[in-house]
Each structure stands twice: as structure tokens, then as C-alpha cells.
Amino acid sequence: LDRSRLSGAYFESVRTKRSQKQEQHGESAVEWIEELRGKAKEDRLAAVRGRVEAACCEIGLEDLSGSTVWGDAGLDSLGLVELRNMLAAMVGKSMKLGSTLLFDYPTMDELVDHLEAVLFLNDSAFEDAFHTDLVHDGEFLQCLQRGHEGCEP
């Protein structure tokens, strides 16, 4: 028995199933994230929560309260690994999920807040800071154009 050929065939079948599942859902991990860029934070949180809830349902966690700790909801260590792997597939290459993700964020509310913050880091914080810098720089340039001394960038 040639194990290298067997493992190669196994991993190819896993890749094929994953691709088929993405096609069946009509979008890749990156596409759903990109569609949410520029939308309101509440919309992004709702979308991320929906994805996390769907992953939870796939492993048998239904009607999970946002503040319930994973262990109290009935997830054992194998269930945590399975959920983490589903979440990793959900976000694709957009972010790397650490092996302790569900221990670091032990409730759905905490996990959703974290995922939204990291996936859309540049959407709100960067835009706000960038806008503030542009306004500040614009005021500085106007000050210089008017010939005022003591203008500060």
C-alpha cells in the first residue's frame, strides 16, 4: 500500500469537496467579506454573527445565546476544534485563526466582535483616522496659503 498516493488522493478529495461547497454557497470566503466592506458596523456584525451561527448549527449547537460559554453550551474539545476549523474556512485567507481562538473568545458575542474587528480593521478606524488627517492637513495647507506664521502640521 503506497501511503503517499493514498494521502494525496484523500487531500485532493477534501479540496474538491471544499471547492464544491463554496460554489454551492455561491461565494468564496473572500467574496462575502469584500461585499461587506464599507457597510455599517451593525451590518457587518450581523453578517459575521449569521456565519458563526450557521457554523454552530452544523455541529449541533442551535439556539445558542450570545453570552453562553462554549463549554456550557455542550462543546467539548473536539467540538471546539471542529468549530474553529469551520470558522477558518469561513474567513479563508482573510485572517489566520489561532488554535486558542475559542478559548480566547469563549462566547459567541466575544467571538463575533473579535472577528468583525479583525476582518474589517481598516473599514472604520482607518477611514476615521484618514479623514481626520486629511482635514487636519487641509487646514494646515490653508493656513500656509494665507501666509500665517506658526501653522502646525
Side-chain angles (χ1 to χ4, degrees):
L1 180 67
D2 185 358
R3 290 183 189 265
S4 64
R5 288 181 54 205
L6 179 62
S7 64
Y10 169 75
F11 287 115
E12 185 58 37
S13 72
V14 169
R15 281 188 215 106
T16 302
K17 285 180 185 176
R18 184 179 297 149
S19 296
Q20 288 171 345
K21 197 173 207 180
Q22 286 176 345
E23 287 173 15
Q24 186 178 31
H25 287 57
E27 58 189 349
S28 71
V30 175
E31 288 173 342
W32 77 268
I33 294 168
E34 289 303 317
E35 287 176 8
L36 291 170
R37 295 227 182 270
K39 297 210 176 186
K41 182 174 182 165
E42 295 78 29
D43 295 337
R44 295 189 312 253
L45 282 168
V48 172
R49 179 174 296 280
R51 297 283 176 147
V52 172
E53 286 174 348
C56 288
C57 285
E58 283 192 45
I59 61 170
L61 285 180
E62 297 182 23
D63 300 324
L64 179 66
S65 163
S67 60
T68 303
V69 176
W70 302 119
D72 293 346
L75 270 185
D76 59 7
S77 58
L78 183 58
L80 288 170
V81 169
E82 191 174 344
L83 179 57
R84 187 224 157 267
N85 290 342
M86 287 181 172
L87 296 172
M90 175 186 86
V91 299
K93 295 180 180 180
S94 300
M95 70 184 284
K96 183 175 178 350
L97 300 181
S99 59
T100 62
L101 176 75
L102 298 173
F103 294 101
D104 297 337
Y105 304 95
T107 67
M108 184 179 304
D109 288 342
E110 292 177 53
L111 177 64
V112 167
D113 288 342
H114 169 70
L115 292 174
E116 188 276 336
V118 174
L119 286 170
F120 304 102
L121 177 66
N122 295 334
D123 272 21
S124 56
F126 178 75
E127 287 174 9
D128 291 345
F130 184 69
H131 177 71
T132 301
D133 286 346
L134 281 179
V135 169
H136 184 70
D137 288 347
E139 291 169 354
F140 172 67
L141 289 174
Q142 288 175 359
C143 180
L144 288 177
Q145 287 172 343
R146 287 190 294 257
H148 294 252
E149 291 186 21
C151 298
E152 295 184 21

